[in-house]
Coordinates of all heavy atoms in Angstrom, one line a residue:
M1 N 23.0 -71.4 76.9 CA 21.8 -71.8 77.8 C 21.8 -71.1 79.1 O 20.8 -70.6 79.5 CB 21.7 -73.4 77.9 CG 20.5 -73.7 78.6 SD 20.3 -75.5 78.7 CE 19.4 -75.6 80.2
W2 N 22.9 -71.2 79.8 CA 23.0 -70.7 81.2 C 22.8 -69.2 81.1 O 22.2 -68.5 82.0 CB 24.3 -70.9 82.0 CG 24.2 -72.5 82.3 CD1 25.0 -73.5 81.8 CD2 23.3 -73.1 83.3 NE1 24.7 -74.7 82.4 CE2 23.7 -74.5 83.3 CE3 22.3 -72.6 84.0 CZ2 23.0 -75.3 84.1 CZ3 21.7 -73.6 84.9 CH2 22.0 -74.9 84.9
G3 N 23.3 -68.6 80.0 CA 23.0 -67.1 79.8 C 21.6 -66.7 79.8 O 21.1 -65.7 80.4
R4 N 20.8 -67.5 79.0 CA 19.4 -67.3 79.0 C 18.8 -67.4 80.4 O 17.8 -66.7 80.6 CB 18.7 -68.3 78.0 CG 19.0 -67.9 76.6 CD 18.2 -68.7 75.7 NE 18.5 -68.4 74.2 CZ 18.2 -69.1 73.2 NH1 17.4 -70.3 73.4 NH2 18.4 -68.7 72.0
V5 N 19.1 -68.4 81.1 CA 18.6 -68.8 82.5 C 18.9 -67.5 83.3 O 18.0 -67.1 84.0 CB 19.0 -70.1 83.0 CG1 18.6 -70.2 84.6 CG2 18.6 -71.3 82.2
R6 N 20.1 -67.1 83.3 CA 20.7 -66.0 84.0 C 19.7 -64.7 83.8 O 19.4 -64.0 84.5 CB 22.1 -65.8 83.9 CG 22.6 -64.7 84.9 CD 24.1 -64.5 84.9 NE 24.7 -64.5 83.5 CZ 25.5 -65.3 82.9 NH1 25.9 -66.3 83.7 NH2 25.9 -65.2 81.8
E7 N 19.6 -64.5 82.5 CA 18.9 -63.3 82.0 C 17.3 -63.4 82.5 O 16.8 -62.4 82.8 CB 18.9 -63.2 80.4 CG 20.2 -62.8 79.8 CD 20.3 -62.8 78.4 OE1 19.2 -62.8 77.7 OE2 21.4 -62.6 77.9
S8 N 16.9 -64.6 82.3 CA 15.3 -64.6 82.8 C 15.3 -64.4 84.3 O 14.4 -63.8 84.7 CB 14.9 -66.1 82.4 OG 14.8 -66.3 81.1
G9 N 16.3 -65.0 85.1 CA 16.2 -64.8 86.4 C 16.5 -63.3 86.9 O 15.8 -62.8 87.7
A10 N 17.3 -62.6 86.2 CA 17.5 -61.3 86.4 C 16.3 -60.4 86.0 O 15.9 -59.5 86.8 CB 18.7 -60.7 85.6
G11 N 15.6 -60.8 85.0 CA 14.4 -60.0 84.5 C 13.3 -60.3 85.6 O 12.6 -59.4 85.9
L12 N 13.2 -61.5 86.0 CA 12.2 -61.8 87.2 C 12.5 -61.0 88.5 O 11.6 -60.3 89.0 CB 12.0 -63.3 87.4 CG 11.1 -63.6 88.6 CD1 9.7 -63.3 88.3 CD2 11.3 -65.1 88.9
F13 N 13.8 -61.1 88.8 CA 14.2 -60.3 89.9 C 13.9 -58.8 89.8 O 13.4 -58.2 90.7 CB 15.7 -60.5 90.2 CG 16.2 -59.8 91.4 CD1 16.0 -60.3 92.6 CD2 17.0 -58.7 91.3 CE1 16.5 -59.6 93.8 CE2 17.5 -58.1 92.4 CZ 17.2 -58.5 93.7
N14 N 14.2 -58.2 88.7 CA 14.0 -56.8 88.5 C 12.5 -56.5 88.4 O 12.0 -55.4 88.9 CB 14.6 -56.3 87.2 CG 16.1 -56.3 87.3 OD1 16.7 -56.0 88.4 ND2 16.8 -56.5 86.2
A15 N 11.7 -57.4 88.0 CA 10.2 -57.2 87.9 C 9.6 -57.2 89.3 O 8.8 -56.5 89.5 CB 9.6 -58.3 87.1
L16 N 10.3 -57.9 90.3 CA 9.8 -58.0 91.6 C 10.3 -56.9 92.5 O 9.9 -56.7 93.6 CB 10.2 -59.3 92.2 CG 9.6 -60.6 91.7 CD1 10.1 -61.8 92.3 CD2 8.0 -60.6 91.7
R17 N 11.2 -56.1 92.0 CA 11.7 -55.0 92.8 C 11.6 -53.7 92.0 O 11.7 -53.6 90.8 CB 13.2 -55.1 93.0 CG 13.6 -56.4 93.8 CD 15.0 -56.5 94.0 NE 15.5 -55.4 94.9 CZ 16.0 -55.6 96.2 NH1 15.9 -56.8 96.6 NH2 16.4 -54.6 96.8
T18 N 11.2 -52.6 92.8 CA 11.2 -51.3 92.2 C 12.1 -50.4 93.2 O 12.3 -50.8 94.2 CB 9.8 -50.7 92.0 OG1 9.2 -50.6 93.4 CG2 9.0 -51.6 91.1
E19 N 12.4 -49.3 92.7 CA 13.2 -48.3 93.5 C 12.4 -47.2 93.9 O 11.7 -46.6 93.1 CB 14.5 -47.9 92.8 CG 15.4 -49.0 92.6 CD 16.7 -48.7 91.9 OE1 16.8 -47.5 91.5 OE2 17.6 -49.5 91.8
A20 N 12.4 -46.9 95.2 CA 11.7 -45.8 95.7 C 12.7 -44.6 96.1 O 13.6 -44.9 96.8 CB 10.8 -46.1 96.9
K21 N 12.4 -43.5 95.6 CA 13.3 -42.4 95.8 C 12.9 -41.7 97.1 O 11.8 -41.2 97.3 CB 13.5 -41.5 94.8 CG 14.1 -42.0 93.5 CD 14.3 -41.0 92.4 CE 14.9 -41.8 91.2 NZ 15.0 -40.8 90.1
T22 N 13.9 -41.5 98.1 CA 13.6 -40.7 99.3 C 14.6 -39.7 99.5 O 15.7 -39.9 99.9 CB 13.4 -41.6 100.5 OG1 14.7 -42.3 100.6 CG2 12.3 -42.6 100.5
G23 N 14.3 -38.5 99.0 CA 15.3 -37.4 98.9 C 16.4 -37.8 98.0 O 16.2 -38.0 96.8
R24 N 17.7 -37.7 98.4 CA 18.8 -38.1 97.6 C 19.1 -39.5 97.5 O 19.7 -40.1 96.7 CB 20.1 -37.4 98.1 CG 20.1 -35.9 98.1 CD 21.3 -35.3 98.6 NE 21.2 -33.9 98.9 CZ 22.0 -33.2 99.6 NH1 23.1 -33.8 100.1 NH2 21.8 -32.0 99.8
E25 N 18.6 -40.2 98.5 CA 18.8 -41.6 98.7 C 17.8 -42.5 97.8 O 16.7 -42.2 97.7 CB 18.7 -42.0 100.1 CG 18.6 -43.4 100.5 CD 18.2 -43.6 101.9 OE1 18.4 -42.7 102.8 OE2 17.7 -44.7 102.2
V26 N 18.4 -43.5 97.1 CA 17.5 -44.5 96.4 C 17.5 -45.7 97.1 O 18.6 -46.3 97.4 CB 18.1 -44.7 95.0 CG1 17.3 -45.7 94.2 CG2 18.0 -43.4 94.2
R27 N 16.3 -46.2 97.4 CA 16.1 -47.4 98.3 C 15.3 -48.4 97.5 O 14.2 -48.0 97.0 CB 15.5 -47.1 99.6 CG 15.4 -48.2 100.6 CD 15.1 -47.6 101.9 NE 15.1 -48.8 102.9 CZ 14.2 -49.7 103.0 NH1 13.2 -49.6 102.2 NH2 14.3 -50.6 103.9
S28 N 15.8 -49.6 97.5 CA 14.9 -50.7 96.8 C 14.2 -51.4 98.0 O 14.6 -51.5 99.0 CB 15.9 -51.7 96.1 OG 16.8 -51.3 95.5
H29 N 13.0 -51.9 97.6 CA 12.2 -52.7 98.5 C 12.0 -54.0 97.8 O 11.7 -54.2 96.7 CB 10.8 -51.9 98.6 CG 10.8 -50.6 99.0 ND1 11.0 -50.3 100.4 CD2 10.8 -49.4 98.5 CE1 11.0 -49.0 100.7 NE2 10.9 -48.5 99.5
N30 N 12.1 -55.1 98.7 CA 11.8 -56.4 98.2 C 10.3 -56.7 98.4 O 9.5 -56.0 99.2 CB 12.7 -57.3 98.8 CG 12.4 -57.7 100.3 OD1 11.2 -57.6 100.7 ND2 13.5 -57.9 101.1
L31 N 9.8 -57.7 97.8 CA 8.4 -57.9 97.9 C 7.9 -58.3 99.3 O 6.7 -58.0 99.6 CB 7.9 -59.2 96.9 CG 8.5 -60.5 97.2 CD1 7.3 -61.3 97.7 CD2 9.0 -61.1 95.9
F32 N 8.7 -58.9 100.1 CA 8.2 -59.2 101.4 C 8.2 -58.0 102.4 O 7.2 -57.9 103.2 CB 9.1 -60.3 102.0 CG 9.0 -61.6 101.3 CD1 10.2 -62.1 100.7 CD2 7.9 -62.3 101.2 CE1 10.1 -63.3 99.9 CE2 7.8 -63.5 100.5 CZ 8.9 -64.0 99.9
E33 N 9.1 -57.1 102.1 CA 9.1 -55.7 102.8 C 7.8 -55.1 102.4 O 7.1 -54.5 103.3 CB 10.3 -55.0 102.6 CG 10.4 -53.8 103.4 CD 11.6 -53.0 102.9 OE1 12.2 -53.1 101.9 OE2 11.9 -52.1 103.8
A34 N 7.6 -55.0 101.2 CA 6.4 -54.4 100.6 C 5.1 -55.0 101.1 O 4.1 -54.2 101.6 CB 6.3 -54.4 99.1
A35 N 5.1 -56.3 101.2 CA 3.9 -57.0 101.7 C 3.5 -56.7 103.1 O 2.4 -56.4 103.5 CB 3.9 -58.4 101.4
A36 N 4.6 -56.7 103.9 CA 4.4 -56.5 105.3 C 4.0 -55.1 105.7 O 3.1 -54.8 106.4 CB 5.8 -56.8 106.1
A37 N 4.6 -54.1 104.9 CA 4.2 -52.7 105.1 C 2.8 -52.5 104.6 O 2.0 -51.7 105.2 CB 5.2 -51.8 104.3
H38 N 2.4 -53.1 103.5 CA 1.1 -53.0 102.9 C 0.0 -53.6 103.9 O -1.0 -52.9 104.1 CB 1.0 -53.6 101.5 CG -0.2 -53.3 100.7 ND1 -0.4 -52.1 100.1 CD2 -1.3 -54.1 100.5 CE1 -1.6 -52.2 99.5 NE2 -2.1 -53.3 99.7
V39 N 0.3 -54.7 104.3 CA -0.8 -55.4 105.2 C -1.0 -54.6 106.4 O -2.0 -54.3 107.0 CB -0.4 -56.8 105.5 CG1 -1.2 -57.4 106.6 CG2 -0.5 -57.6 104.2
A40 N 0.2 -54.1 107.1 CA 0.1 -53.3 108.2 C -0.7 -52.0 108.0 O -1.5 -51.6 108.8 CB 1.5 -52.9 108.7
A41 N -0.4 -51.3 106.8 CA -1.1 -50.2 106.5 C -2.6 -50.4 106.4 O -3.5 -49.6 106.7 CB -0.7 -49.6 105.1
C42 N -3.0 -51.6 105.8 CA -4.4 -52.0 105.6 C -5.0 -52.2 106.9 O -6.1 -51.8 107.2 CB -4.5 -53.2 104.8 SG -4.1 -53.0 103.0
A43 N -4.3 -52.8 107.8 CA -4.8 -53.1 109.2 C -5.1 -51.8 110.0 O -6.0 -51.7 110.8 CB -3.9 -54.0 110.1
E44 N -4.1 -50.8 109.7 CA -4.3 -49.5 110.4 C -5.2 -48.5 109.5 O -5.4 -47.4 110.1 CB -2.9 -49.0 110.5 CG -2.1 -49.7 111.5 CD -0.6 -49.3 111.4 OE1 -0.2 -48.5 110.6 OE2 0.1 -49.8 112.3
D45 N -5.7 -49.0 108.4 CA -6.6 -48.2 107.6 C -5.9 -46.9 107.2 O -6.5 -45.8 107.2 CB -8.0 -47.9 108.3 CG -9.0 -47.5 107.3 OD1 -8.9 -47.8 106.1 OD2 -10.0 -46.8 107.7
D46 N -4.6 -47.0 106.8 CA -3.9 -45.7 106.4 C -3.8 -45.8 104.9 O -2.9 -46.4 104.3 CB -2.5 -45.9 107.0 CG -1.5 -44.8 106.8 OD1 -1.9 -43.9 105.8 OD2 -0.5 -44.6 107.4
Q47 N -4.8 -45.1 104.3 CA -4.8 -45.1 102.8 C -3.7 -44.6 102.1 O -3.2 -45.0 101.1 CB -6.2 -44.4 102.4 CG -6.4 -44.4 101.0 CD -6.8 -45.9 100.6 OE1 -7.3 -46.6 101.3 NE2 -6.3 -46.3 99.5
E48 N -3.1 -43.6 102.7 CA -1.9 -42.9 102.1 C -0.7 -43.9 102.1 O 0.0 -44.0 101.1 CB -1.4 -41.6 102.9 CG -0.2 -40.9 102.3 CD 0.0 -39.6 103.1 OE1 -0.9 -38.9 103.4 OE2 1.2 -39.4 103.3
R49 N -0.5 -44.6 103.1 CA 0.5 -45.7 103.2 C 0.2 -46.8 102.3 O 1.1 -47.4 101.7 CB 0.7 -46.1 104.6 CG 1.9 -47.0 104.9 CD 3.1 -46.2 105.0 NE 4.2 -47.2 105.5 CZ 5.4 -47.1 105.0 NH1 5.8 -46.2 104.2 NH2 6.3 -48.0 105.5
I50 N -1.0 -47.3 102.2 CA -1.5 -48.3 101.3 C -1.1 -48.0 99.9 O -0.5 -48.7 99.2 CB -3.0 -48.5 101.4 CG1 -3.3 -49.1 102.8 CG2 -3.4 -49.4 100.3 CD1 -4.8 -49.2 103.0
E51 N -1.3 -46.7 99.5 CA -1.0 -46.3 98.1 C 0.5 -46.3 97.8 O 0.9 -46.6 96.8 CB -1.7 -45.0 97.8 CG -3.1 -45.1 97.7 CD -3.9 -43.7 97.6 OE1 -3.1 -42.7 97.6 OE2 -5.1 -43.6 97.7
E52 N 1.2 -45.8 98.9 CA 2.7 -45.8 98.8 C 3.3 -47.2 98.7 O 4.1 -47.4 97.7 CB 3.3 -45.1 100.0 CG 4.8 -45.0 100.0 CD 5.3 -44.6 101.2 OE1 4.7 -44.0 102.1 OE2 6.6 -44.7 101.5
T53 N 2.8 -48.1 99.5 CA 3.4 -49.4 99.5 C 3.0 -50.2 98.3 O 3.7 -51.0 97.8 CB 3.1 -50.2 100.8 OG1 1.7 -50.3 100.9 CG2 3.5 -49.6 102.1
A54 N 1.9 -49.9 97.7 CA 1.5 -50.6 96.5 C 2.4 -50.3 95.3 O 2.4 -51.0 94.3 CB 0.0 -50.3 96.1
G55 N 3.0 -49.1 95.4 CA 3.9 -48.8 94.3 C 5.4 -49.3 94.4 O 6.1 -49.1 93.6
W56 N 5.7 -50.0 95.5 CA 7.0 -50.5 95.8 C 7.4 -51.6 94.9 O 8.5 -51.7 94.6 CB 7.2 -50.9 97.2 CG 7.2 -49.7 98.2 CD1 7.1 -48.3 97.9 CD2 7.4 -49.8 99.6 NE1 7.3 -47.7 99.0 CE2 7.4 -48.5 100.1 CE3 7.4 -50.8 100.5 CZ2 7.5 -48.3 101.5 CZ3 7.6 -50.5 101.8 CH2 7.6 -49.3 102.4
V57 N 6.4 -52.5 94.6 CA 6.6 -53.7 93.7 C 5.6 -53.8 92.8 O 4.6 -53.2 92.9 CB 6.8 -55.0 94.5 CG1 8.1 -54.8 95.4 CG2 5.8 -55.2 95.4
S58 N 5.7 -54.7 91.8 CA 4.6 -54.9 90.9 C 3.4 -55.5 91.6 O 3.5 -56.0 92.7 CB 5.0 -55.9 89.7 OG 5.1 -57.2 90.4
P59 N 2.2 -55.3 91.0 CA 0.9 -55.8 91.7 C 1.0 -57.3 91.9 O 0.6 -57.9 93.0 CB -0.2 -55.4 90.8 CG 0.3 -54.2 90.0 CD 1.8 -54.5 89.9
E60 N 1.6 -58.0 91.0 CA 1.7 -59.5 91.1 C 2.7 -59.9 92.2 O 2.4 -60.8 93.0 CB 2.3 -60.1 89.7 CG 1.3 -59.8 88.6 CD 1.5 -58.5 87.8 OE1 2.5 -57.8 88.2 OE2 0.7 -58.2 87.0
A61 N 3.7 -59.2 92.3 CA 4.7 -59.4 93.4 C 4.1 -59.1 94.7 O 4.2 -59.8 95.7 CB 6.0 -58.5 93.2
L62 N 3.3 -58.0 94.8 CA 2.6 -57.6 96.1 C 1.6 -58.7 96.5 O 1.5 -59.2 97.6 CB 2.1 -56.3 95.9 CG 1.4 -55.7 97.3 CD1 2.4 -55.5 98.3 CD2 0.7 -54.5 97.0
S63 N 0.9 -59.2 95.5 CA -0.1 -60.2 95.7 C 0.6 -61.5 96.3 O 0.1 -62.1 97.2 CB -0.8 -60.6 94.5 OG -1.8 -61.6 94.7
F64 N 1.7 -61.9 95.7 CA 2.4 -63.1 96.1 C 2.9 -62.9 97.5 O 2.8 -63.7 98.4 CB 3.6 -63.3 95.2 CG 4.5 -64.5 95.6 CD1 4.1 -65.8 95.5 CD2 5.7 -64.1 96.3 CE1 5.0 -66.7 96.0 CE2 6.5 -65.2 96.7 CZ 6.1 -66.5 96.6
G65 N 3.5 -61.7 97.8 CA 3.9 -61.4 99.2 C 2.9 -61.4 100.2 O 3.1 -61.9 101.4
V66 N 1.8 -60.8 99.9 CA 0.7 -60.8 100.8 C 0.1 -62.2 101.0 O -0.1 -62.7 102.2 CB -0.5 -59.9 100.4 CG1 -1.8 -60.1 101.1 CG2 -0.1 -58.4 100.3
N67 N 0.1 -63.0 100.1 CA -0.4 -64.4 100.2 C 0.7 -65.3 101.1 O 0.2 -65.9 102.0 CB -0.5 -65.0 98.9 CG -0.9 -66.5 99.0 OD1 -2.0 -66.8 99.4 ND2 -0.1 -67.5 98.5
E68 N 1.9 -65.0 100.9 CA 3.0 -65.6 101.7 C 2.8 -65.2 103.1 O 3.0 -66.0 104.0 CB 4.4 -65.4 101.1 CG 5.4 -66.1 101.8 CD 5.4 -67.6 101.6 OE1 4.8 -68.1 100.7 OE2 6.1 -68.2 102.4
L69 N 2.7 -63.9 103.4 CA 2.5 -63.4 104.8 C 1.2 -64.0 105.4 O 1.3 -64.5 106.6 CB 2.3 -61.9 104.8 CG 2.2 -61.2 106.0 CD1 3.3 -61.5 107.0 CD2 1.9 -59.7 105.8
A70 N 0.2 -64.2 104.7 CA -1.0 -64.8 105.2 C -0.9 -66.2 105.6 O -1.2 -66.7 106.7 CB -2.1 -64.7 104.2
C71 N -0.1 -66.9 104.7 CA 0.2 -68.4 105.1 C 1.0 -68.5 106.3 O 0.7 -69.4 107.1 CB 0.8 -69.0 103.9 SG -0.2 -69.3 102.5
R72 N 2.1 -67.7 106.3 CA 3.0 -67.7 107.4 C 2.2 -67.4 108.9 O 2.5 -68.0 109.9 CB 4.1 -66.9 107.3 CG 5.1 -67.4 106.1 CD 6.3 -66.5 106.0 NE 7.1 -66.9 104.9 CZ 8.3 -66.5 104.6 NH1 8.9 -65.5 105.5 NH2 8.9 -66.9 103.7
A73 N 1.4 -66.4 108.7 CA 0.7 -65.9 109.9 C -0.3 -67.0 110.4 O -0.4 -67.2 111.6 CB -0.2 -64.6 109.6
V74 N -1.0 -67.7 109.4 CA -1.9 -68.7 109.8 C -1.2 -69.9 110.5 O -1.6 -70.5 111.3 CB -2.7 -69.2 108.6 CG1 -3.5 -70.4 108.9 CG2 -3.7 -68.0 108.3
I75 N 0.0 -70.3 109.8 CA 0.8 -71.3 110.5 C 1.3 -71.0 111.9 O 1.2 -71.8 112.7 CB 2.0 -71.7 109.5 CG1 1.4 -72.3 108.2 CG2 3.0 -72.6 110.1 CD1 2.4 -72.5 107.1
A76 N 1.7 -69.8 112.0 CA 2.1 -69.3 113.4 C 1.0 -69.3 114.3 O 1.3 -69.9 115.5 CB 2.8 -67.9 113.3
L77 N -0.1 -68.9 114.0 CA -1.2 -68.9 114.9 C -1.7 -70.3 115.3 O -2.1 -70.6 116.3 CB -2.4 -68.1 114.4 CG -2.3 -66.6 114.6 CD1 -3.5 -65.9 113.8 CD2 -2.4 -66.2 116.0
A78 N -1.6 -71.2 114.2 CA -2.2 -72.5 114.4 C -1.1 -73.2 115.4 O -1.6 -74.0 116.4 CB -2.1 -73.2 113.1
R79 N 0.1 -73.0 115.3 CA 1.1 -73.6 116.3 C 0.9 -73.0 117.7 O 0.9 -73.8 118.6 CB 2.5 -73.3 115.8 CG 2.9 -74.1 114.6 CD 4.4 -73.8 114.1 NE 4.6 -74.6 112.9 CZ 5.6 -74.3 112.1 NH1 6.4 -73.2 112.3 NH2 5.9 -75.0 111.0
E80 N 0.7 -71.8 117.8 CA 0.4 -71.1 118.9 C -0.8 -71.6 119.7 O -0.8 -71.8 120.9 CB 0.3 -69.6 118.8 CG 0.3 -68.8 120.1 CD 0.2 -67.3 119.7 OE1 1.2 -66.7 119.2 OE2 -0.9 -66.7 120.0
R81 N -1.9 -71.8 119.0 CA -3.1 -72.3 119.4 C -3.2 -73.9 119.5 O -4.2 -74.3 120.0 CB -4.3 -71.8 118.6 CG -4.4 -70.3 118.7 CD -5.5 -69.8 117.8 NE -5.6 -68.3 117.7 CZ -6.5 -67.7 117.1 NH1 -7.4 -68.3 116.3 NH2 -6.6 -66.4 117.0
D82 N -2.3 -74.5 119.0 CA -2.3 -76.0 118.9 C -3.6 -76.4 118.1 O -4.3 -77.4 118.5 CB -2.2 -76.6 120.2 CG -1.8 -78.1 120.2 OD1 -1.1 -78.5 119.1 OD2 -2.2 -78.8 121.0
E83 N -3.9 -75.8 117.0 CA -5.1 -76.1 116.1 C -4.5 -76.3 114.7 O -3.4 -75.9 114.3 CB -6.0 -75.0 116.2 CG -6.7 -74.7 117.6 CD -7.7 -73.5 117.6 OE1 -7.5 -72.8 116.6 OE2 -8.4 -73.4 118.4
S84 N -5.4 -76.7 113.8 CA -5.0 -76.9 112.5 C -5.0 -75.6 111.7 O -5.8 -74.6 112.2 CB -5.9 -77.8 111.7 OG -7.1 -77.3 111.4
P85 N -4.2 -75.4 110.7 CA -4.2 -74.1 110.0 C -5.8 -73.8 109.4 O -6.1 -72.7 109.4 CB -3.2 -74.3 108.8 CG -2.2 -75.2 109.4 CD -3.1 -76.2 110.3
R86 N -6.3 -74.9 109.0 CA -7.7 -74.7 108.4 C -8.6 -74.2 109.5 O -9.4 -73.2 109.1 CB -8.2 -76.0 107.9 CG -9.7 -76.0 107.4 CD -10.2 -77.3 107.0 NE -9.6 -77.4 105.6 CZ -9.9 -78.4 104.8 NH1 -10.7 -79.4 105.1 NH2 -9.3 -78.5 103.6
T87 N -8.5 -74.7 110.6 CA -9.4 -74.1 111.8 C -9.1 -72.6 112.1 O -10.0 -71.9 112.3 CB -9.2 -75.0 113.1 OG1 -9.6 -76.4 112.7 CG2 -10.1 -74.5 114.2
V88 N -7.9 -72.4 112.2 CA -7.5 -71.0 112.5 C -7.9 -70.1 111.3 O -8.4 -69.0 111.6 CB -5.9 -70.9 112.6 CG1 -5.5 -69.4 112.7 CG2 -5.5 -71.7 113.9
A89 N -7.7 -70.4 110.0 CA -8.1 -69.5 108.9 C -9.5 -69.3 109.0 O -10.1 -68.2 108.8 CB -7.6 -70.2 107.6
R90 N -10.3 -70.3 109.1 CA -11.8 -70.2 109.2 C -12.3 -69.4 110.3 O -13.1 -68.5 110.2 CB -12.4 -71.6 109.2 CG -12.3 -72.4 108.0 CD -13.0 -73.6 108.0 NE -14.4 -73.4 108.0 CZ -15.2 -73.3 106.8 NH1 -14.6 -73.2 105.7 NH2 -16.5 -73.2 106.9
A91 N -11.6 -69.5 111.5 CA -12.0 -68.6 112.7 C -11.6 -67.2 112.4 O -12.4 -66.3 112.8 CB -11.1 -69.1 113.8
L92 N -10.4 -66.9 111.8 CA -10.0 -65.5 111.5 C -11.1 -64.9 110.6 O -11.2 -63.6 110.7 CB -8.6 -65.5 110.9 CG -7.5 -65.8 111.8 CD1 -6.2 -65.9 111.0 CD2 -7.3 -64.6 112.8
L93 N -11.6 -65.6 109.7 CA -12.6 -65.1 108.8 C -14.1 -65.2 109.3 O -14.9 -64.8 108.6 CB -12.6 -65.9 107.4 CG -11.2 -65.6 106.6 CD1 -11.2 -66.6 105.4 CD2 -11.2 -64.2 106.2
G94 N -14.2 -65.7 110.4 CA -15.5 -65.8 111.1 C -16.5 -66.8 110.5 O -17.6 -66.7 110.5
L95 N -15.8 -67.9 109.9 CA -16.5 -68.9 109.2 C -16.8 -70.0 110.3 O -16.0 -70.2 111.2 CB -15.8 -69.5 108.0 CG -15.4 -68.5 106.9 CD1 -14.6 -69.0 105.9 CD2 -16.9 -68.0 106.3
P96 N -17.9 -70.8 110.1 CA -18.1 -72.0 111.1 C -17.0 -73.1 110.8 O -16.5 -73.2 109.6 CB -19.5 -72.5 110.7 CG -19.7 -71.8 109.3 CD -19.0 -70.6 109.2
T97 N -16.7 -73.8 111.8 CA -15.8 -74.9 111.7 C -16.3 -75.9 110.7 O -17.6 -76.2 110.8 CB -15.4 -75.5 112.9 OG1 -16.6 -75.9 113.7 CG2 -14.6 -74.5 113.9
A98 N -15.5 -76.5 109.9 CA -16.0 -77.4 108.9 C -16.0 -78.8 109.5 O -15.3 -79.2 110.4 CB -15.0 -77.4 107.7

């Protein structure tokens, strides 16, 4: 049973990671590194970098990482502003307060 759990975990881990070759060196990217680089590229409107970072991990993993980054950013801003995460999220999107 534990063998199956270990195999499933390894399969999931491998699905969330891909290897990018840079010259002779092979470098792996984790989903959070990919999400951070992808969001930064989007904020800078760097289409070449957006396409590069999108290939670092699976689309599902990138989506999860971007979502996690958004949640952490809203929480950090809410603490900094002493406001609720809902208020901060709505303000960032230009929505009226609920």
Side-chain angles (χ1 to χ4, degrees):
M1 179 177 152
W2 288 113
R4 286 185 181 173
V5 171
R6 187 173 49 243
E7 287 175 15
S8 295
L12 176 62
F13 180 75
N14 289 333
L16 297 177
R17 296 179 70 109
T18 59
E19 294 182 354
K21 294 182 181 181
T22 56
R24 295 181 194 166
E25 165 188 341
V26 175
R27 184 168 186 286
S28 317
H29 299 281
N30 70 39
L31 68 101
F32 297 115
E33 181 181 24
H38 189 76
V39 169
C42 289
E44 296 168 351
D45 198 25
D46 183 349
Q47 190 61 39
E48 185 176 316
R49 186 84 171 141
I50 290 169
E51 291 170 7
E52 177 187 348
T53 58
W56 287 359
V57 295
S58 71
E60 296 83 9
L62 185 60
S63 177
F64 174 80
V66 169
N67 183 60
E68 184 67 21
L69 177 60
C71 290
R72 291 179 186 195
V74 167
I75 290 168
L77 280 172
R79 288 179 181 159
E80 184 179 294
R81 296 178 181 182
D82 197 27
E83 296 177 345
S84 74
R86 174 178 285 183
T87 301
V88 171
R90 293 183 67 83
L92 288 172
L93 293 171
L95 300 171
T97 55

